[in-house]
């Protein structure tokens, strides 16, 4: 009897341990040529993960580095899969032995092929970088796993001559530099795990960019793929320079806070494929237009046959330069299915070369979309432009030649446009047959196969019909999406950016950010403080730059419904305004200026200006400047003028209103490069910076503030090096009247635990007086 009880106890303990160790899968999905699984982890357990074509039971074990540990779960990513259906199996390991009885198998997962459309793949039969065109590693490819702790010490043998000799590289830059000698031709997949920062690297061969990938001679074969593992791979504090290279691929990682450019394809590159990347701010440069970094993806120096596709550009400044002046008309590039998410300009900015730009989503672009200069050509088709101020520009003609001009003083080029969806532009002008005045931004065609005969107004260069024909007939004929579908595609599961759209997600409030091209301080701070949640591997290895308890999910648009967010109409399209540090609002009651016009500092308003000063509404450390002509936002002059408010460096203009201020819009002059700081205060002593705004000379950057109405003070400070002028303002207080709430929930508001919310879940501000709240610029009284 005692023995039986003892055996029963052992059996019970066994089942208890087994039950505890049994794998519970949290999530699993297929993606582009990869699949992933996450599961609840058990303390003390390690794990092996296997992949198999669905229903075949032919399991292949994943490399240990692909199986990683997070604070509460495990994760594995299977890479290099052909399109098809697969299953993943997670097996717990105890004391070095697999516990097969406790394994778990996913349902069948659909794996998609990457879209290899674009000039990068033209003429390439065996795939770019380390992968074949079917998505699997090339037969002789080698894999290098790199993370923060081994980026300086990792070793790899590289051929040093053509006689079989090898040399050992130590550190990531050292290994890549040895490829430059030209003897090593083995395809190499460099797989990035977690975040690698500048301080983690062995060295940098490019002082300007950071990591340098360089071929021995012009257009040298460098069969390397840089790819991220999972959803949280990133490099931070540096970018990558690619020079003299053929056959290089960048996929599925983020670049944050780069030194100069995120990716610089500097000179003599070909067959380069950049896809499914997340691009963020770079470090601030020395020039006025480098607040967000110098560039994001720059292509120049006779580089050709490049594809930039399915990338997510997050509030980037100068998004993509396309050429300097050494290029020629044989340099052909493709941009498709990119999500330009509130990025500002250069999508791309093209010199000399030919760019096919199709199926991209231009989402709240504050300056311009595609710009062509210096004999460049671009076929712009089937894109979706949502609130893009100037969808297409040609230098020194059309819209660019009006007023102050926009982006370039160089001779022009030609844009061919077909089947684009354009919502709320400020202006786009199309060519009319026989037109000779140059007042057009693009040649719009009804047949995508049509040739273009029109030439640039400035410079007289012709459109590159040869490259256009190649683009249309070589790779894209059956892969073109309707422009109406592009938004859903790039934002979907198989869309732009990293797998699962990365672990750093940022939502934009369109009413605040569609017209803003300044740095968003909260976004910059979040990038500077970012950590992955990655802990390490299940062998106990921990990884630096990780350990956060949750991923980043922020932004001032979080909680706003997509329909509401996308319904915003910018001021340049006749909407209620915006830009700089905020936007105007239709819910406010204007007390200075009106919703449709500014209070201008001109002679007609001199008496009222003095009254505002006497009442304490206006306070300035600047001076009235009687010699500066005031102009309206449409470029026309005001009537006889007093002038502007001239602010020396670090002088400010302050506005006060006892009822609170929900919007303040400042119209600044175009004298000199612009630098402004926008601030709010409740009490006039403690100030909160809402944002900073910069602009080049001869522009009028939007300098606007939006608050919920509890701030009684706003001010704008000149932070440029010279005197700058303020020409007009609008001020709105929260709308008059009160909305009574008598029910816990009605069509507009809800009350939870005595706190007020709107239907998007946005919490009202604390009461400005007993029982009074401010929400969306409206006063709301709670009645018991």
């Amino acid at each position: 009897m005692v023995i039986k009880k003892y055996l029963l106890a052992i059996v019970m303990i066994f089942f208890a341990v087994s039950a505890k160790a049994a794998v519970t899968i949290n999530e699993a999905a297929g993606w582009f040529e990869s699949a992933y699984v996450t599961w609840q982890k058990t303390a003390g357990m390690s794990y092996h993960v296997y992949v198999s074509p669905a229903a075949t039971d032919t399991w292949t074990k994943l490399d240990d580095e692909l199986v990683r540990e997070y604070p509460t779960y495990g994760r594995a990513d299977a890479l290099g899969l052909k399109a098809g259906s697969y299953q993943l199996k997670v097996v717990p390991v105890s004391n070095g032995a697999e516990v097969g009885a406790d394994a778990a198998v996913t349902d069948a997962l659909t794996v998609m092929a990457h879209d290899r459309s674009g000039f990068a793949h033209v003429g390439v039969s065996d795939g770019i970088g380390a992968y074949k065109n079917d998505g699997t590693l090339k037969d002789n490819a080698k894999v290098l796993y790199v993370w923060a702790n081994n980026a300086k010490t990792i070793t790899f043998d590289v051929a040093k001559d053509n006689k079989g000799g090898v040399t050992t590289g130590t550190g990531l830059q050292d290994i890549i530099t040895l490829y430059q000698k030209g003897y090593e031709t083995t395809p190499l997949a460099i797989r990035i795990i977690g975040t690698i920062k500048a301080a983690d690297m062995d060295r940098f061969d490019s002082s300007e960019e950071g990591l340098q990938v360089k071929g021995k001679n012009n257009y040298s074969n460098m069969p390397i793929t840089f790819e991220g593992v999972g959803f949280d791979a990133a490099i931070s504090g540096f970018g990558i320079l690619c020079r003299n290279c053929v056959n290089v691929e960048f996929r599925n990682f983020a670049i944050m806070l780069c030194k100069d450019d995120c990716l610089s394809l500097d000179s003599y590159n070909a067959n380069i494929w950049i896809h499914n990347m997340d691009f963020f701010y770079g470090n601030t440069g020395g020039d006025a237009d480098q607040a967000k970094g110098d560039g994001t993806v720059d292509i120049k120096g006779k580089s050709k046959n490049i594809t930039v596709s399915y990338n997510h550009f997050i509030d980037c400044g100068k998004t993509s330069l396309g050429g300097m002046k050494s290029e020629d008309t044989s340099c052909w590039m493709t941009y498709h299915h990119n999500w330009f998410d509130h990025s500002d300009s250069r999508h791309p900015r093209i010199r000399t070369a030919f760019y096919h730009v199709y199926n991209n989503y231009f989402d709240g672009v504050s300056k311009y979309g595609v710009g062509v200069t210096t004999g460049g050509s671009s076929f712009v088709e089937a894109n979706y432009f949502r609130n893009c101020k100037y969808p297409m520009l040609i230098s020194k003609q059309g819209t660019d030649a009006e007023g102050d001009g926009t982006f370039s003083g160089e001779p022009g080029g030609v844009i061919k446009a077909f089947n684009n969806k354009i919502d709320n532009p400020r202006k786009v002008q199309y060519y009319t047959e026989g037109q000779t005045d140059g007042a057009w931004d693009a040649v719009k065609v009804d047949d995508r196969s049509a040739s273009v005969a029109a030439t640039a107004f400035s410079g007289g260069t012709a459109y590159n019909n040869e490259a256009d024909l190649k683009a249309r007939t070589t790779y894209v004929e059956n892969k073109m999406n309707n422009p109406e579908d592009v938004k859903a595609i790039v934002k979907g599961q198989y869309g732009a950016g990293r797998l699962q759209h990365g672990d750093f997600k940022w939502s934009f409030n369109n009413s605040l950010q569609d017209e803003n091209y300044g740095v968003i301080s909260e976004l910059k701070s979040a990038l500077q403080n970012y950590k992955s949640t990655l802990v390490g591997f299940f062998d106990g290895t921990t990884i630096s730059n990780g350990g956060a308890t949750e991923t980043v999910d922020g932004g001032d648009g979080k909680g706003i419904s997509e329909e509401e967010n996308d319904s915003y109409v910018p001021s340049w399209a006749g909407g209620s305004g915006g830009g700089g540090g905020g936007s105007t609002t239709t819910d406010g009651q204007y007390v200075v200026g009106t919703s449709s016009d500014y209070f201008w500092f001109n002679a007609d308003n001199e008496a009222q200006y003095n009254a505002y000063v006497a009442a304490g509404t206006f306070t300035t450390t600047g001076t009235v400047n009687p010699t500066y002509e005031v102009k309206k936002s449409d470029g026309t002059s005001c009537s006889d003028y007093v002038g502007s408010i001239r602010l020396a460096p670090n002088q400010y203009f302050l506005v006060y209103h006892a009822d609170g201020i929900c919007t303040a819009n400042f119209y600044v002059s175009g004298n000199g490069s612009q630098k402004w700081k926008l601030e709010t205060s409740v009490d006039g002593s403690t100030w909160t910076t809402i944002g900073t705004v910069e602009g080049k000379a001869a522009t009028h950057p939007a300098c606007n503030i939006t608050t919920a109405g509890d701030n009684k003070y706003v001010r704008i400070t000149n932070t440029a090096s010279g005197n700058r002028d303020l020409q007009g303002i609008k001020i709105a207080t929260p709308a008059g009247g009160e909305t009574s709430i008598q029910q816990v929930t009605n069509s507009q508001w809800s009350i939870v635990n005595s706190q007020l919310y709107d239907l998007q879940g946005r919490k009202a501000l604390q009461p400005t007086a007993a029982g009074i709240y401010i929400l969306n610029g409206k006063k709301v009284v709670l009645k018991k």
Side-chain angles (χ1 to χ4, degrees):
M1 182 66 68
V2 174
I3 294 175
K4 289 183 178 180
K5 288 182 178 179
Y6 179 70
L7 292 174
L8 179 60
I10 292 175
V11 170
M12 292 177 67
I13 291 172
F14 172 79
F15 280 112
V17 172
S18 179
K20 184 179 179 182
V23 173
T24 300
I25 290 176
N26 297 330
E27 182 183 6
W31 193 57
F32 291 122
E33 294 164 19
S34 65
Y36 70 91
V37 60
T38 68
W39 63 93
Q40 296 178 20
K41 67 179 185 179
T42 299
M45 283 287 178
S46 182
Y47 297 89
H48 293 164
V49 180
Y50 296 80
V51 62
S52 173
T56 65
D57 202 34
T58 54
W59 298 100
T60 300
K61 183 175 177 293
L62 301 186
D63 293 343
D64 291 341
E65 294 88 348
L66 297 174
V67 184
R68 290 105 61 219
E69 183 178 7
Y70 290 81
T72 61
Y73 64 92
R75 177 180 177 121
D77 289 79
L79 308 183
L81 304 178
K82 291 182 182 180
S85 183
Y86 294 85
Q87 290 176 288
L88 295 170
K89 179 169 63 174
V90 182
V91 184
V93 177
S94 178
N95 295 321
E98 291 187 350
V99 186
D102 291 334
V105 179
T106 69
D107 294 333
L109 311 174
T110 300
V111 171
M112 299 284 289
H114 277 293
D115 182 352
R116 288 174 168 78
S117 303
F119 278 121
H121 286 85
V122 173
V124 176
S125 60
D126 58 345
I128 292 175
Y131 286 91
K132 301 176 185 177
N133 284 331
D134 67 1
T136 62
L137 284 169
K138 293 177 180 176
D139 294 340
N140 62 334
K142 295 183 179 180
V143 175
L144 203 61
Y145 292 100
V146 186
W147 58 92
N149 303 67
N150 78 345
K152 288 181 180 177
T153 59
I154 190 168
T155 60
F156 187 76
D157 289 340
V158 179
K160 68 176 182 179
D161 53 40
N162 55 12
K163 301 178 181 179
V166 298
T167 187
T168 300
T170 302
L172 182 56
Q173 178 67 87
D174 193 45
I175 293 167
I176 295 170
T177 301
L178 290 175
Y179 261 72
Q180 180 180 335
K181 296 182 181 298
Y183 297 110
E184 184 62 75
T185 59
T186 302
L188 178 62
I190 297 173
R191 292 178 173 173
I192 300 166
I193 298 173
T195 303
I196 300 175
K197 293 190 174 183
D200 302 320
M201 290 290 294
D202 53 323
R203 70 171 194 272
F204 292 128
D205 284 354
S206 170
S207 59
E208 289 187 355
E209 309 296 351
L211 184 66
Q212 180 172 277
V213 186
K214 184 179 179 182
K216 183 177 182 180
N217 303 303
N218 297 348
Y219 306 116
S220 295
N221 184 34
M222 292 282 283
I224 300 176
T225 289
F226 293 86
E227 64 177 325
V229 175
F231 74 136
D232 57 355
I235 63 174
S236 181
F238 65 100
I240 301 176
L241 171 70
C242 203
R243 179 178 291 161
N244 298 347
C245 292
V246 175
N247 204 12
V248 179
E249 177 185 20
F250 302 93
R251 61 157 86 170
N252 194 39
F253 63 97
I255 302 182
M256 304 172 173
L257 305 173
C258 61
K259 291 160 67 72
D260 190 59
D261 300 335
C262 288
L263 287 179
S264 177
L265 308 190
D266 182 86
S267 305
Y268 303 105
N269 302 286
N271 304 110
I272 310 294
W273 187 22
I274 302 165
H275 63 107
N276 296 103
M277 301 282 290
D278 284 342
F279 295 110
F280 293 95
Y281 289 161
N283 285 319
T284 302
D287 294 339
D289 62 353
Q290 294 177 346
K292 299 180 179 181
D294 183 38
T296 309
V297 176
D298 282 0
I299 304 172
K300 51 195 177 184
K302 292 191 177 179
S303 293
K304 58 185 179 181
N305 283 44
I306 314 294
T307 298
V308 179
S309 60
Y310 290 90
N311 300 292
H312 190 185
F313 295 85
I314 300 100
D315 201 44
C316 299
K318 298 190 294 182
T319 305
S320 193
L321 176 67
M324 294 299 286
K325 294 182 178 179
S326 60
E327 290 70 30
D328 57 44
T329 55
S330 69
C331 298
W332 300 349
M333 326 292 179
T334 308
Y335 279 58
H336 71 90
H337 293 96
N338 297 290
W339 181 3
F340 298 118
D341 192 358
H342 295 82
S343 49
D344 302 335
S345 64
R346 300 188 176 186
H347 305 92
R349 183 195 190 283
I350 303 161
R351 288 185 177 104
T352 309
F354 174 86
Y355 279 67
H356 189 194
V357 180
Y358 73 90
N359 281 170
N360 300 283
Y361 183 38
F362 296 78
D363 183 10
V365 172
S366 59
K367 293 185 179 179
Y368 70 91
V370 182
V372 172
T373 80
T374 323
S377 298
S378 184
F379 183 20
V380 179
E381 68 167 328
N383 300 282
Y384 188 165
F385 296 88
R386 187 202 66 81
N387 292 2
C388 177
K389 189 173 186 179
Y390 300 111
M392 291 164 273
L393 289 175
I394 300 174
S395 58
K396 300 184 75 172
Q397 69 177 68
T399 303
D400 184 63
E402 298 176 358
D404 296 327
T406 303
F407 82 108
S408 177
E410 298 169 327
V414 182
I415 293 175
K416 171 183 169 181
F418 173 74
N419 191 33
N420 295 290
K421 176 178 173 59
I422 302 177
D423 292 342
N424 302 321
R426 182 190 178 280
K427 182 180 283 189
V428 58
Q429 304 175 83
Y430 295 114
Y431 174 78
T432 300
E433 186 68 30
Q435 187 174 357
T436 59
D437 60 1
W440 47 275
D441 305 318
V443 180
K444 186 177 181 181
V445 297
D446 296 325
D447 180 355
R448 71 185 298 265
S449 64
S451 296
V452 170
T455 58
F457 181 72
S458 174
T461 52
Y463 181 71
N464 193 335
N465 286 293
E466 176 192 4
D468 178 291
L469 175 64
K470 189 76 170 180
R472 286 185 289 104
T473 58
T474 300
Y475 59 78
V476 78
E477 192 71 39
N478 299 315
K479 296 182 179 179
M480 184 72 62
N481 298 117
N482 293 322
E484 295 81 3
D485 300 330
V486 167
K487 171 186 169 183
I489 291 170
V490 302
K491 298 178 79 169
Q493 176 184 355
Y494 294 100
R498 290 180 290 174
L499 168 63
Q500 296 174 273
H501 294 295
D503 65 330
F504 190 116
K505 297 177 173 65
W506 200 261
S507 301
F508 295 97
N509 180 339
N510 292 338
S511 70
L512 299 179
Q513 303 304 342
D514 277 2
E515 298 177 68
N516 174 28
Y517 50 82
V519 172
I520 301 172
S521 57
E522 295 83 1
L523 174 56
K524 184 72 173 282
S525 177
L527 289 168
Q528 291 169 332
N529 296 312
Y530 163 78
K531 272 190 172 185
S532 166
T533 57
L534 177 63
V535 173
F537 304 114
F538 279 101
D539 63 359
T541 300
T542 59
I543 294 180
S544 301
N545 308 323
T549 57
E550 57 185 25
T551 59
V552 177
D553 189 3
D556 48 24
K558 188 178 179 183
I560 303 176
S561 71
E562 188 167 20
E563 285 187 5
E564 178 188 353
N565 213 19
D566 285 353
S567 67
Y568 173 73
V569 178
S571 60
W572 63 60
S576 60
S583 71
T584 60
T585 174
T586 56
D587 293 331
Q589 175 178 314
Y590 283 89
V591 292
V592 178
T594 67
S595 61
S596 60
D597 199 11
Y598 290 84
F599 175 88
W600 299 101
F601 300 123
N602 57 26
D604 290 344
N605 290 330
E606 183 176 8
Q608 183 61 59
Y609 171 81
N610 292 331
Y612 282 139
V613 173
T617 302
F618 294 165
T619 302
T620 181
T621 54
T623 58
V624 173
N625 174 25
T627 61
Y628 195 88
E629 183 180 6
V630 176
K631 289 188 176 182
K632 291 186 176 183
S633 55
D634 62 3
T636 60
S637 296
C638 297
S639 58
D640 293 339
Y641 53 85
V642 171
S644 62
I645 306 303
R646 172 148 291 179
L647 299 174
N650 298 317
Q651 288 188 323
Y652 63 81
F653 186 89
L654 179 150
V655 182
Y656 164 80
H657 201 281
D659 291 340
I661 297 172
C662 59
T663 62
N665 303 81
F666 301 95
Y667 191 84
V668 299
S669 73
N671 58 322
S673 60
Q674 307 289 309
K675 287 188 177 182
W676 301 94
K677 180 168 68 173
L678 308 172
E679 299 172 287
T680 63
S681 176
V682 174
D683 57 12
S685 59
T686 302
W687 292 88
T688 299
T689 299
I690 296 298
T692 58
V693 177
E694 297 189 11
K696 66 182 181 180
T699 62
H700 302 270
C703 295
N704 305 320
I705 294 174
T706 295
T707 78
D710 59 333
N711 291 287
K712 296 183 179 182
Y713 300 83
V714 298
R715 72 183 179 190
I716 179 171
T717 302
N718 171 29
T719 58
S721 59
N723 296 336
R724 299 294 181 263
D725 290 84
L726 175 64
Q727 296 179 309
I729 62 171
K730 302 179 191 179
I731 301 295
T733 64
E738 297 178 346
T739 302
S740 297
I741 304 296
Q742 299 181 9
Q743 303 175 18
V744 171
T745 302
N746 66 11
S747 62
Q748 290 181 305
W749 320 102
S750 64
I751 303 172
V752 180
N753 296 328
S754 299
Q755 177 60 59
L756 187 66
Y757 294 83
D758 71 357
L759 293 183
Q760 283 73 49
R762 294 175 293 190
K763 186 169 69 173
L765 295 175
Q766 293 300 309
T768 57
I772 298 178
Y773 288 78
I774 302 295
L775 188 60
N776 299 341
K778 296 181 179 179
K779 290 183 178 179
V780 181
V781 177
L782 302 184
K783 289 188 176 180
K784 296 182 180 179

